[in-house]
Amino acid sequence: MFTDMVGYSALSQKNEARALELLNEHRELLRSRFAAHGGHEIEAVGDGFFVEFPSALEGARCAVDIQRALHDRNASQAPDRLIQVRIGLHLGDVVAQDTRVHGDGVNIAARIEPLAEPGGICLSEDVARQIQNKIELPLLRLGKADLKNIKMAVEIYRLVLPWERKHLPGSQRLAFGLRRQKMRRALIGAGGLLVAGGLTGAWVWRRAQTSGLVNNRIAVLPFVSMSASAEDEYFVDGVTEELISRLSRVKGLEVIARTSIASYKGTKKKIGEIAGELNVGTVLEGSVRKAGGKVRITAQLINASNETHLWSEDYDRELKDIFTVQSDIAQRVADALALRLGSSATAQREAGGTSNIGAYNTYLLGRFHYNKGSPEGLHKAVEYFEEAISQDPSYAVAYAALADVHEQLAAFDGDSANRFPKARDAALKALDLDPSVAEAHSALGVEKAFYEFDWIGARESFTRALALNPNSAVTHNWYGWYLLYLREWDQAIAELRRAVELDPVSIIMNNDLALGLEQAGRWDEAIDQSRRTDKLDPGNAWALTTLAWGHVGKGDYEKGLSLFQKLVDVAGREIWALQGLASAYAFSGDAQRALQLLDEMKERSKGKPGRAYEVQVVYWALAARDDRYLTEVYRWLDKAYEERSFLLVNTSARWYDGYQSDVRWIAFRKKLGLPP
């Protein structure tokens, strides 16, 4: 049994004495459970165990016993004294040789373990088949996982613990209706059952076929405009987005984010195909006709597995009643899914909304331009959000949107000094009007982390935002970047993966996951993720950038150079593209060409704020071969600090590990309020 405490490495860096204390307590607790269930401890590695059991059932019972004991213990502990483990189970043959144990069974168990969430249990289909109807807990099918160095994909299940059921209300007992050709012989040999628990990674929901859809996940497809005027498109898109927002607050429901939904606008794909791509069990679709002061909305909820209708309704209302209609649709969806979500499932009230139809229309125009994702669209969105606020000064959601758009513009134009104070003021105003607006808490967390370097305050804001809306892919993504700043790799990557689960076809979310893996030095995984991102939009500049950096990080400079040159061809001679190409030349030993590109970057950055960090990257790459460039590294880092560059988060990456003992580096990290 391999077990690693979640976050042990990070804790040992912060407080070694406490880490050792918790490690010893963890070992004592787990070993007592091994013995109680006939487990044989094969090996203890660091904060992990490798254990063998006489049967699948005993191994599963031991895993539940461990998690129950830790759950009970953690209930009375402070956050910094929690002990969590991940556990994975697999049944298979093993080979004992001297004091070592080998075989595919060991390898598969070790690969399944990282798929479990902290405090969770994942298991293979072989184990699930053995324990079904013998253990009083539901099994939730997650789908097939392609495990590293394992030729065949392995079907993965999650054992739903009693305290997790409220978070997984759609879980049902495992029903084995496997086709004969998919049946695998249960391998029972000298090794018996292997259990593995660990700290790295987090399970990812694999895209499933229709038969394996996740029942508590729903997609709200873009509603179709039936209006005569094309100008009403913004209104129909806004209705879709508002329904996504309202359903996101239904407890137990997982709602696919707008950016992934937008890609299906005007699609001819069938419901089952879309559901399979998004891994959802239910789809809401409909149409909107807006004419004068009236609106007609048709909505229908569809079971994706067989495309039958669960509920449908037509609404003919005055335009001023649009808010009531949206609330009613959200509640009807919750009612229709109540058996899956729990009988008390309700659609919560709209947080921070408005009853002013004029302000609402203006706000929807702002969202329409915001969703274009271009600098021009974002600037236009600012105007509309500010106009919506002038029409209804109590419109908290509009203030939150204004805060968000200022932060997005800071990322685009690098003008953090101007944008972030405006974002902070707007977020605080939204929270003053309505503290339950999740988006405002999220925006405030971004400002605290990336502008004020207030790490405690930022964590509080992100935690509050996710408590109010756990379905916000954007918040999970930002929280992941915050955790990268703190070098909490496993948690950070888990948050970035969660963002991808909620927004599965978003280029930004998928690419940010690749960037997070690169920060953690997990180059092979980052390259794989970059390739997945590229498949969503072949040839896109974002995936090309991370793919190129992945190869440079691995030391394959020739491949990295080739990809960065392709990036410059695709994106033009943008500063960020030139930065990658110059850095690849520097790492490969061609300092002359790197310096030539660096001069071009400096010339292009004149009069543009927020470019100092990118210049620093090239000097950092040059310094890898020549220490004389270190002075320039620190000089440009100080400039990036003055600019409050978003990109300073990258200074926490593993590729800066060689600087940790440098007094100048220690001083710089101290300026950020971070340990070396």
Side-chain angles (χ1 to χ4, degrees):
M1 186 183 218
F2 301 95
T3 69
D4 286 330
M5 292 169 54
V6 176
Y8 173 75
S9 298
L11 179 59
S12 63
Q13 292 179 4
K14 296 177 182 178
N15 189 330
E16 186 173 5
R18 178 171 296 167
L20 289 172
E21 176 190 345
L22 294 179
L23 175 63
N24 289 331
E25 183 182 351
H26 149 268
R27 285 175 174 171
E28 183 178 349
L29 186 148
L30 266 64
R31 280 176 169 148
S32 68
R33 268 66 188 180
F34 301 157
H37 294 276
H40 168 58
E41 182 183 325
I42 295 173
E43 189 176 14
V45 182
D47 55 319
F49 289 100
F50 173 23
V51 183
E52 180 183 56
F53 287 87
S55 75
L57 186 58
E58 282 303 319
R61 285 173 174 167
C62 180
V64 173
D65 197 5
I66 288 170
Q67 299 295 25
R68 180 180 287 111
L70 288 173
H71 179 265
D72 292 344
R73 174 208 174 272
N74 290 338
S76 61
Q77 299 294 320
D80 61 348
R81 295 190 61 83
L82 300 181
I83 297 176
Q84 290 183 308
V85 299
R86 293 187 175 98
I87 297 178
L89 301 135
H90 178 60
L91 179 71
D93 282 323
V94 298
V95 177
Q97 186 176 18
D98 298 325
T99 60
R100 307 291 295 177
V101 175
H102 310 273
D104 283 345
V106 178
N107 296 332
I108 292 173
R111 300 300 183 193
I112 290 175
E113 161 265 301
L115 305 182
E117 291 184 315
I121 302 168
C122 276
L123 43 113
S124 67
E125 182 179 315
D126 293 313
V127 176
R129 186 183 295 110
Q130 295 296 318
I131 69 173
Q132 65 167 329
N133 301 323
K134 297 176 184 176
I135 193 165
E136 293 301 314
L137 290 172
L139 288 166
L140 180 65
R141 181 176 178 270
L142 302 181
K144 288 186 177 181
D146 296 317
L147 305 179
K148 188 175 180 180
N149 296 329
I150 304 299
K151 291 183 179 180
M152 294 181 64
V154 178
E155 200 79 48
I156 304 298
Y157 293 82
R158 178 176 183 173
L159 194 57
V160 184
L161 299 165
W163 51 91
E164 293 178 324
R165 291 191 190 185
K166 62 182 179 181
H167 302 297
L168 295 167
S171 303
Q172 298 178 354
R173 296 260 177 190
L174 176 62
F176 282 91
L178 302 176
R179 295 191 179 111
R180 180 170 295 179
Q181 62 267 34
K182 288 187 177 180
M183 293 291 284
R184 297 185 181 94
R185 175 192 272 175
L187 301 176
I188 304 173
L193 179 79
L194 304 176
V195 183
L199 75 100
T200 57
W203 59 266
V204 181
W205 248 313
R206 300 286 177 178
R207 289 184 181 177
Q209 298 301 317
T210 303
S211 60
L213 301 174
V214 181
N215 285 332
N216 68 325
R217 283 167 63 89
I218 184 173
V220 182
L221 295 185
F223 273 44
V224 177
S225 175
M226 304 297 289
S227 301
S229 174
E231 295 180 358
D232 287 333
E233 180 185 3
Y234 80 91
F235 184 85
V236 179
D237 288 348
V239 169
T240 305
E241 192 164 349
E242 288 290 287
L243 287 171
I244 291 173
S245 176
R246 288 173 187 252
L247 287 171
S248 291
R249 290 189 290 276
V250 177
K251 190 175 182 181
L253 193 61
E254 293 194 1
V255 186
I256 301 299
R258 181 207 61 79
T259 45
S260 284
I261 294 303
S263 64
Y264 293 98
K265 188 173 182 179
T267 185
K268 301 299 183 183
K269 291 182 178 180
K270 294 183 177 180
I271 292 295
E273 185 179 358
I274 295 172
E277 291 175 357
L278 297 175
N279 198 16
V280 298
T282 315
V283 171
L284 179 68
E285 64 173 5
S287 63
V288 179
R289 182 187 297 275
K290 178 172 172 280
K294 295 185 179 295
V295 62
R296 167 176 287 182
I297 296 180
T298 297
Q300 50 192 10
L301 189 67
I302 301 169
N303 182 338
S305 64
N306 54 19
E307 300 194 24
T308 59
H309 284 63
L310 299 173
W311 161 80
S312 63
E313 189 72 59
D314 294 325
Y315 298 88
D316 287 292
R317 302 288 175 85
E318 297 291 326
L319 190 58
K320 64 182 179 181
D321 295 328
I322 183 66
F323 314 110
T324 303
V325 173
Q326 290 171 345
S327 295
D328 186 62
I329 292 173
Q331 186 58 57
R332 294 293 296 271
V333 171
D335 291 342
L337 299 178
L339 290 178
R340 298 181 190 172
L341 305 178
S343 58
S344 61
T346 57
Q348 298 178 22
R349 71 175 183 86
E350 172 67 0
T354 181
S355 58
N356 184 319
I357 191 63
Y360 175 74
N361 259 311
T362 305
Y363 168 79
L364 291 187
L365 281 166
R367 297 303 309 179
F368 179 77
H369 287 282
Y370 174 94
N371 291 335
K372 293 180 179 180
S374 65
E376 297 77 16
L378 293 174
H379 283 288
K380 197 72 176 174
V382 169
E383 297 176 14
Y384 281 115
F385 291 148
E386 288 179 339
E387 175 63 22
I389 289 168
S390 70
Q391 292 172 300
D392 182 359
S394 65
Y395 199 171
V397 166
Y399 280 105
L402 183 61
D404 178 40
V405 76
H406 277 306
E407 289 171 350
Q408 295 295 334
L409 281 167
F412 266 107
D413 58 29
D415 192 10
S416 297
N418 177 47
R419 294 291 177 185
F420 269 118
K422 292 179 179 178
R424 178 184 58 226
D425 292 345
L428 289 173
K429 179 62 176 178
L431 293 175
D432 182 55
L433 290 167
D434 189 340
S436 68
V437 178
E439 296 80 5
H441 286 284
S442 181
L444 192 59
V446 173
E447 188 275 336
K448 288 178 178 178
F450 296 91
Y451 186 74
E452 296 186 44
F453 307 122
D454 174 7
W455 309 113
I456 295 176
R459 190 186 291 267
E460 291 173 350
S461 292
F462 285 129
T463 301
R464 180 60 177 153
L466 289 172
L468 289 166
N469 183 6
N471 283 308
S472 173
V474 171
T475 304
H476 281 288
N477 185 266
W478 277 123
Y479 188 40
W481 280 103
Y482 161 86
L483 292 168
L484 287 175
Y485 234 137
L486 302 182
R487 295 171 68 91
E488 296 181 19
W489 310 120
D490 298 324
Q491 282 185 272
I493 290 170
E495 290 295 327
L496 295 172
R497 287 193 192 282
R498 184 64 179 138
V500 172
E501 290 168 9
L502 292 167
D503 204 349
V505 298
S506 164
I507 300 298
I508 296 299
M509 298 303 170
N510 277 276
N511 197 65
D512 280 359
L513 174 56
L515 288 169
L517 290 165
E518 287 182 348
Q519 278 217 22
R522 292 158 62 168
W523 302 109
D524 288 332
E525 293 177 71
I527 288 171
D528 289 344
Q529 178 59 34
S530 297
R531 288 171 177 157
R532 282 193 286 271
T533 307
D534 184 66
K535 287 180 180 179
L536 295 172
D537 181 20
N540 78 83
W542 303 115
L544 198 55
T545 303
T546 51
L547 186 59
W549 274 114
H551 284 286
V552 169
K554 286 189 67 176
D556 186 355
Y557 302 133
E558 183 178 350
K559 181 66 173 177
L561 273 170
S562 173
L563 289 167
F564 274 126
Q565 186 59 65
K566 183 178 179 181
L567 173 65
V568 173
D569 294 340
V570 170
R573 303 191 76 80
E574 295 285 346
I575 294 171
W576 54 271
L578 293 174
Q579 164 216 272
L581 184 59
S583 299
Y585 276 124
F587 279 121
S588 66
D590 193 342
Q592 182 178 356
R593 298 185 75 172
L595 289 168
Q596 289 173 349
L597 288 168
L598 183 58
D599 288 339
E600 182 179 349
M601 287 173 59
K602 290 179 179 178
E603 184 64 29
R604 288 178 174 274
S605 65
K606 286 182 178 179
K608 297 179 181 179
R611 301 302 180 184
Y613 180 84
E614 289 161 309
V615 172
Q616 172 275 149
V617 169
V618 182
Y619 279 119
W620 160 73
L622 288 163
R625 289 178 175 267
D626 190 341
D627 287 347
R628 290 178 300 174
Y629 292 105
L630 277 176
T631 300
E632 289 300 303
V633 170
Y634 287 111
R635 187 165 77 87
W636 286 91
L637 274 177
D638 285 338
K639 287 185 177 182
Y641 173 81
E642 292 169 6
E643 293 176 344
R644 291 298 196 273
S645 171
F646 257 121
L647 299 174
L648 282 172
V649 64
N650 293 315
T651 60
S652 288
R654 301 303 286 260
W655 54 75
Y656 282 98
D657 280 357
Y659 288 37
Q660 299 301 318
S661 60
D662 190 322
V663 293
R664 293 170 294 181
W665 185 256
I666 294 171
F668 178 73
R669 295 283 290 179
K670 188 175 182 180
K671 283 171 65 174
L672 297 177
L674 296 167

